[in-house]
Amino acid sequence: MSGSDTNRAEITHLTDAEQVSIALGEARIGRSEGGIPIGAALIVDGKVVATGRNRRIQEGSAIHHGETNCLENAGRLPASVYARATMVTTLSPCDMCTGAILLYKIPRVVIGENANFYGGEDYLRQRGVEVVVVDDAECRQLMAEFITAEPALWNEDIGV
């Protein structure tokens, strides 16, 4: 097996926790940019198609949450690709991001944590989406530290 074949095999077998690690890397970058530390990754057939992070502060955007930024970074994809995808996010998705997941019929969502914010998980499940919560301690800590340090930005992000 050549080096590129080895890498491809490794990518194909990412665990849910490893996928969350990719999204967590994006969340850390977002925080280092002065933004809200929420990251996401779109995984299709075991491969990372795109990553994204909440860029509302950095871009002065109303809609660039981690998941929506990730979808934007993926570009236009056929419905058949979304039908095989997993959206990975460091935090339970808000109503807007839940809607985007449902709109594109993404069948699986992996969530880093939902202790700091419980979003549209129940609605996703009601609509037939498989929802997996990894309950990652680093995701929880990063978000909790941000909420404590920047309560006004956090409230703005979730529409409070």
Side-chain angles (χ1 to χ4, degrees), residues 6-49:
T6 301
N7 291 341
R8 203 173 307 124
E10 290 169 6
I11 290 171
T12 302
H13 295 97
L14 290 172
T15 66
D16 291 341
E18 290 167 334
Q19 292 176 19
V20 166
S21 250
I22 294 165
L24 184 57
E26 286 292 316
R28 287 187 184 116
I29 292 168
R31 186 64 183 131
S32 75
E33 296 170 336
I36 298 163
I38 302 169
L42 188 67
I43 313 292
V44 179
D45 300 333
K47 296 179 180 75
V48 179
V49 172

Side-chain angles (χ1 to χ4, degrees), residues 7 22-23 46 49 55 114 117 130 132 143 146 159:
N7 291 341
I22 294 165
V49 172
R55 295 192 47 82
N114 62 4
F117 178 78
E130 178 187 356
V132 177
M143 201 67 224
F146 170 76

